[in-house]
Amino acid sequence: AQPILAQDGILGVTLWRLRPSAPSDGASVRLRIHEPETNRPAEWTPERVQSGYRFADGDYVRLGIESPRRGYLYVIDREQRGDGTLTSPTLIFPTLRIRGGDNQVFAGRLTEIPGESDTPPYLTLRLGGPSQTGERLSIVIAPEPLPGVTILRDYQAVTPDQFESWRRWLVPTARQELKGGAGRTWTTAERAAGHQGERSLRQEEPAPQTLYRIPAAAGRPFLVEIPLDVRRATPSSQ
């Protein structure tokens, strides 16, 4: 059967915050990584957070995206300042370091950013200057690869004109949170579905944490913005 997200024209997004694994966490839902500072192996468990969650500076995060249609996925980041202004846009996906640069998505299939086999399998939230209060992600799904974008190894700057040409696809969205979803840990079904996007999640398996209804007509690009609030560490919490 066709996934319900594809039928309903809904974009599914799950934000995961990684935390050190607890003894009660099953081995199958732990990510084995090397700590960047010590290069020692460690185990971390992805845990769902709802939209509006306030992250901490230095948090490790992952994105799970379930598209309502086939297309090509792009994620653009801008830093949010306290006065409401935003920095210049940066394309953070696709890159050759994440999923080998493969940004094709399919209706209802789960795409994880970064993929489990990527190094590292997470993104790090870092506050820059003292005025930064968070990030704003723009998720674009287009029916064909965006013209003028060459997939490079690392993040790349996007010109203001180029980004504004994409922002015309911004759609008003009705958002709905999965009741009781926040705080749940990664499941073996989500891990299997996200591994190289090999299969779709079934209706009896975990739904995305946040659902965005997409009014854009099929065959047209759309853009959804997701703000990430990030609190700065205080001396007592460091």
Side-chain angles (χ1 to χ4, degrees):
Q2 190 179 31
I4 189 170
L5 292 184
Q7 294 172 351
D8 289 353
I10 294 172
L11 174 71
V13 177
T14 303
L15 287 169
W16 300 95
R17 175 185 174 273
L18 272 61
R19 59 162 174 76
S21 296
S24 58
D25 296 333
S28 61
V29 296
R30 303 182 187 199
L31 279 174
R32 292 169 177 81
I33 66 175
H34 280 78
E35 293 283 7
E37 294 182 0
T38 64
N39 201 33
R40 293 179 179 175
E43 293 184 333
W44 291 70
T45 298
E47 189 173 81
R48 288 172 175 244
V49 299
Q50 65 182 23
S51 59
Y53 176 84
R54 195 176 192 194
F55 292 93
D57 186 13
D59 271 350
Y60 299 155
V61 299
R62 306 185 79 223
L63 277 172
I65 296 175
E66 295 177 54
S67 173
R69 60 190 67 146
R70 177 189 174 279
Y72 294 84
L73 171 66
Y74 300 83
V75 182
I76 302 97
D77 178 48
R78 291 175 292 167
E79 295 180 1
Q80 175 88 48
R81 299 189 180 105
D83 61 4
T85 59
L86 298 159
T87 62
S88 298
T90 299
L91 183 69
I92 65 172
F93 181 80
T95 74
L96 295 177
R97 295 183 63 180
I98 299 178
R99 305 179 64 86
D102 181 8
N103 66 328
Q104 191 169 16
V105 293
F106 298 88
R109 288 194 187 176
L110 176 63
T111 299
E112 294 184 322
I113 302 175
E116 183 182 350
S117 59
D118 291 328
T119 305
Y122 57 81
L123 305 173
T124 305
L125 290 179
R126 288 289 187 196
L127 291 177
S131 63
Q132 186 182 352
T133 59
E135 312 277 348
R136 185 176 299 180
L137 301 181
S138 297
I139 294 176
V140 174
I141 295 180
E144 300 295 336
L146 294 181
V149 175
T150 300
I151 300 175
L152 304 179
R153 175 174 170 78
D154 294 304
Y155 299 166
Q156 59 179 298
V158 175
T159 67
D161 288 346
Q162 190 175 36
F163 184 61
E164 285 306 311
S165 73
W166 301 342
R167 285 199 81 246
R168 71 179 187 273
W169 303 324
L170 178 66
V171 293
T173 54
R175 188 183 70 203
Q176 181 180 351
E177 294 290 326
L178 178 64
K179 186 176 181 180
R184 292 184 188 176
T185 57
W186 207 28
T187 65
T188 53
E190 288 168 308
R191 185 173 198 167
H195 184 65
Q196 301 301 322
E198 291 175 353
R199 72 174 180 89
S200 302
L201 285 165
R202 296 184 287 269
Q203 288 191 351
E204 67 272 17
E205 293 174 333
Q209 177 58 37
T210 309
L211 302 177
Y212 297 87
R213 187 170 294 279
I214 305 301
R220 294 179 60 85
F222 67 85
L223 182 151
V224 172
E225 291 192 338
I226 300 176
L228 302 181
D229 186 22
V230 184
R231 59 181 170 84
R232 194 172 298 277
T234 60
S236 60
S237 64
Q238 292 179 336

